[in-house]
Amino acid sequence: MTALAGAPTVVDGGAYSENSLRHLMFQTRVLTKRLLIRLVRNPITIVHALLLPVGFLLTLNVVLGDSITAATGEDGLYRSVPLVALLAAMSGSTAGMVGITAERLDGFLARLWVVPMHRGAGLLARLAAEVIRLFGTTLVILGAGIILGFRFHRGVVGALLWLTVPVIFGVAFSAVVTMVALYWPRAVLVEAIQIVGLMLTFFSTGLVPLDKYPDWVQPFVRYQPMSAAVDTM
């Protein structure tokens, strides 16, 4: 805890400034490193963020790949790879929700609140760690997709923009999950969020085009966030 405060700073005749930019940068770096180390050491997060999505992508390609191609006239990988990248972003954030709940229950967050540190360091650290996790997860999913035959046709710029969509989507989803974990620290909420994520996955344009869904469900499929992200990618 002492290390988070950094070296003492004397301003205005000896008063300690915990809101300085120097302390914000230092403490954010320390907390980000802590979150990344915990992420690597947590097998649950690795399974949810990497192994399950890659397995799901392989399953979609083996079981439904030919059927989707026959029904739509296009390679199903160009929908399933973006879909699984978004699903991996959501799964990793859901697993992170468990960690936030555990930190609140064991008193770690309460100890941070009484330490003389910048109030924005904790949130910025979670944001930075989440961006790094999302980018790494997306690269792994993309690598699996390339092995299966996924290719880019819009050049390097298009590929870079493709990579940013899951990051933006995952950060937004992580913000919602973090809020839920802090206000309602109950394990049942993890299962509830996972159910919502599965519904969004199967009722999206990541599986088949919009016109292949029944008319009554098309408005939901069209305007839900995963469909918009998949179509953009």
Side-chain angles (χ1 to χ4, degrees):
M1 293 298 178
T2 304
L4 290 175
T9 302
V10 178
V11 294
D12 297 333
Y16 173 78
S17 175
E18 65 184 41
N19 295 321
S20 67
L21 179 62
R22 172 179 173 271
H23 283 90
L24 174 63
M25 295 176 62
F26 173 77
Q27 294 158 5
T28 299
R29 185 173 69 251
V30 171
L31 291 174
T32 301
K33 181 179 178 181
R34 166 189 167 271
L35 290 171
L36 293 175
I37 292 175
R38 191 184 69 177
L39 172 67
V40 173
R41 293 178 177 177
N42 187 359
I44 297 178
T45 305
I46 299 299
V47 169
H48 279 270
L50 293 178
L51 298 184
L52 288 181
V54 170
F56 184 57
L57 177 61
L58 293 174
T59 302
L60 282 178
N61 187 62
V62 172
V63 177
L64 299 177
D66 293 339
S67 300
I68 293 175
T69 301
T72 63
E74 59 185 30
D75 191 343
L77 275 176
Y78 291 92
R79 292 184 180 274
S80 58
V81 173
L83 176 67
V84 173
L86 298 174
L87 181 61
M90 295 173 63
S91 298
S93 297
T94 303
M97 178 181 178
V98 178
I100 298 174
T101 302
E103 288 181 352
R104 177 168 183 169
L105 293 178
D106 65 14
F108 180 79
L109 293 182
R111 293 195 295 273
L112 283 183
W113 292 334
V114 298
V115 170
M117 59 181 291
H118 198 288
R119 298 298 93 183
L123 288 176
L124 286 179
R126 290 196 178 275
L127 176 63
E130 193 68 12
V131 169
I132 295 172
R133 180 192 69 80
L134 289 167
F135 189 74
T137 300
T138 304
L139 285 178
V140 172
I141 301 298
L142 176 60
I146 290 176
I147 292 175
L148 294 174
F150 181 87
R151 295 293 184 270
F152 288 107
H153 303 287
R154 299 295 179 91
V156 176
V157 176
L160 293 176
L161 291 175
W162 190 96
L163 289 171
T164 63
V165 176
V167 176
I168 297 172
F169 181 89
V171 168
F173 184 78
S174 179
V176 175
V177 168
T178 302
M179 180 191 69
V180 171
L182 292 176
Y183 279 93
W184 298 284
R186 298 179 179 87
V188 68
L189 290 174
V190 177
E191 285 77 11
I193 291 178
Q194 289 177 338
I195 292 173
V196 172
L198 287 176
M199 289 184 61
L200 294 177
T201 299
F202 287 104
F203 289 94
S204 74
T205 55
L207 291 179
V208 294
L210 180 65
D211 57 7
K212 300 300 180 181
Y213 286 93
D215 293 340
W216 61 271
V217 79
Q218 285 187 14
F220 172 77
V221 174
R222 171 181 295 175
Y223 296 111
Q224 64 112 327
M226 289 193 74
S227 292
V230 168
D231 293 341
T232 301
M233 295 170 74

